[in-house]
Amino acid sequence: MTSNFAIAIVGATGSVGETLLQILEERDFPISDLHLLASNESAGRTLAYRGRNLRVRAVDGFDFRTVQLVFFAADPSVTLAHADAVRKAGCSLIDVTGALPSDVAPRVVPEVNGALISGEAPFAVTSPSSVAVAVSLVLGALREHVQVRRLVIDAGLAVSSRGREGVSELARQTAELLNGRSVEPRLFDRQMAFNVLAQVDEPDAEGHGRLERRVNADIKALFADEALNVAVSCHQVPVFFGDSLSVTVQASTPVELGKVIAALDAAAGIELVDAGDYPTVIGDAVGQDEVYVGRVRRGIDDPCELSLWIVSDNVRKGAALNAVQLAELLIKHHL
Amino acid sequence: MTSNFAIAIVGATGSVGETLLQILEERDFPISDLHLLASNESAGRTLAYRGRNLRVRAVDGFDFRTVQLVFFAADPSVTLAHADAVRKAGCSLIDVTGALPSDVAPRVVPEVNGALISGEAPFAVTSPSSVAVAVSLVLGALREHVQVRRLVIDAGLAVSSRGREGVSELARQTAELLNGRSVEPRLFDRQMAFNVLAQVDEPDAEGHGRLERRVNADIKALFADEALNVAVSCHQVPVFFGDSLSVTVQASTPVELGKVIAALDAAAGIELVDAGDYPTVIGDAVGQDEVYVGRVRRGIDDPCELSLWIVSDNVRKGAALNAVQLAELLIKHHL
């Protein structure tokens, strides 16, 4: 029944790109032809797929008419540089970089607003920021029980949100400090080891970072609710992999905790951890498809308040897996 | 003019106790007689004060009639065990452990509600939790401009909040992992290195931890506002010293950012970091008397929302310094 598809991955050598490749293989995605693309510097490397070594080619000059679907997992600027050519080639695209506006490439998490994907190919879809994917999955599962009026998201991001350089920089700084040497920060603007950085990118004139704006817009788009009030603070924590999210919801009516817990327990893609215990990125979320939720509780002062702790693999469910799930949805609609 | 006072420190060998001793010396506190007290196990050790080595004695059996003021900086249970004897001895007390109810020992931050200290000796005063000290200092400075209706505090606590054992456990785990060995957690219930723990103590039946309850009650008491809505989430981060706090305020009127910034800039005990930049515990807060504030911004969706990033030395300003400042206030009232 299923036909096979010619696919390209732009940014194949990055951590999201490599995880994409791995998940396509794991989920047995029907591929006839696979093109791995990257910047000129990374071209020439090889990556393994189903036991074969595939050579990475430069994205510049690639003919998008030879594929039906492209994943963009490099820099937002790379998405922007090629989106027009992709469209003109009649090729569908899934962007994990958030470079395109919502009216061009709507933000979709299959479990939350997958119904948004309709019509005919070519499709253009955005996989939202990892923070928005995790939070919307959880709040989406509660839609029948909790009408969210206001949301405060405090996100502790792992250094892998800065790619492989982030991971090696935290390791280097930690080793230097443990050996009693002083640290000269490179990738981050401060000492990252044993420290929490207040922001993950350059704030704009109003003081909000690019990712904070993106999470805010993602969540409102995913719930198609422009009136929703979403406060977002993103911090960089000395953790290698995974997002650690503290979420406080103000609902319009008192929260019925029993129903909330039952709904989370029943939801696909969510692993609920019992009261008293709690999940962490290490040992729970990292390497897993599920988003983990714990510390589900009502406010001390306000029965309409709900607090949650969410951990998620930022590279996997937060980006690569959601993108592949989007591709699976596109297939259903005759990509 | 000033007379000198006979003083005891219970819990002198702990990190708050040692910092207390250091700050008393730094601030030239008028001491005639200094008794260092601790558990039976720690008795016999010596600590330096003004170039002399003072021997630590057991708190059990100490005659509180020989002093005018006692600092309690051990466990809450130690405060509870001796508070009655202290009162009967006619001795004033400053408790940093939060063991006593507000009607017995009101929570005071001198800059916020120092006026609460009045009447005659003996006094009993509580130095609030380090998180509440830092947040109330900042919001206290804004009292004329921001009427707070709702507050969401997300607190990343350093391992030093668990005393010296917390510090050595993070160091041990980090070294093991960097050497490629697996980690068997001891003090914490999970791997602490390169991980964020969702809670810092055992939650109660409603899911709130003891410290979360304490911060909530502290803040309401400090602003004498029982109607205030305070959501608190405390997490343990792999940082040695200092609290990293993300605070989102919902005010009753649109926030006038210019006035907020001017008020923070002018406030005693607060160091405001310019927009674009931000403070961190390392390099800014740790070892300093000031609480550092940055990332002062209004909500993306709501002009009545104010977000702030606050870092503070949890042992110093958060506990020992505030306690000594309270003692200085008591002196003014003829301790």
Side-chain angles (χ1 to χ4, degrees), chain A residues 154 190 220 246 277 301, chain B residues 154 190 220 246 277 301-302:
Chain A
D154 214 273
R190 299 294 163 83
K220 287 191 282 196
S246 180
D277 198 5
D301 299 315
Chain B
D154 214 90
R190 300 294 165 82
K220 287 191 283 197
S246 180
D277 198 5
D301 299 315
D302 180 2

Side-chain angles (χ1 to χ4, degrees), chain B residues 94-156:
Chain B
I94 295 171
D95 179 37
V96 305
T97 73
L100 303 173
S102 265
D103 55 338
V104 171
R107 299 155 156 105
V108 181
V109 173
E111 295 90 337
V112 178
N113 64 341
L116 219 66
I117 291 180
S118 63
E120 299 204 346
F123 300 98
V125 190
T126 298
S127 185
S129 56
S130 65
V131 174
V133 169
V135 171
S136 69
L137 246 182
V138 172
L139 295 184
L142 299 178
R143 226 171 337 193
E144 278 179 42
H145 309 293
V146 180
Q147 211 206 326
V148 180
R149 283 176 48 205
R150 186 178 281 269
L151 198 56
V152 178
I153 302 173
D154 214 90

Side-chain angles (χ1 to χ4, degrees), chain B residues 6-87:
Chain B
I7 283 176
I9 299 176
V10 178
T13 56
S15 50
V16 174
E18 277 200 22
T19 309
L20 257 173
L21 199 61
Q22 188 187 325
I23 293 176
L24 288 171
E25 181 168 339
E26 280 173 20
R27 292 172 78 98
D28 215 6
F29 196 87
I31 295 176
S32 61
D33 209 7
L34 181 58
H35 301 270
L36 305 182
L37 307 173
S39 63
N40 291 329
E41 299 87 69
S42 295
R45 289 181 47 190
T46 59
L47 293 171
Y49 179 75
R50 292 188 177 274
R52 291 159 52 209
N53 282 322
L54 301 182
R55 186 165 299 275
V56 177
R57 288 190 284 158
V59 60
D60 292 332
F62 180 75
D63 183 356
F64 289 103
R65 287 173 303 184
T66 60
V67 294
Q68 290 145 283
L69 174 65
V70 191
F71 291 97
F72 278 99
D75 260 14
S77 60
V78 179
T79 308
L80 285 175
H82 298 280
D84 260 2
V86 170
R87 191 179 46 78

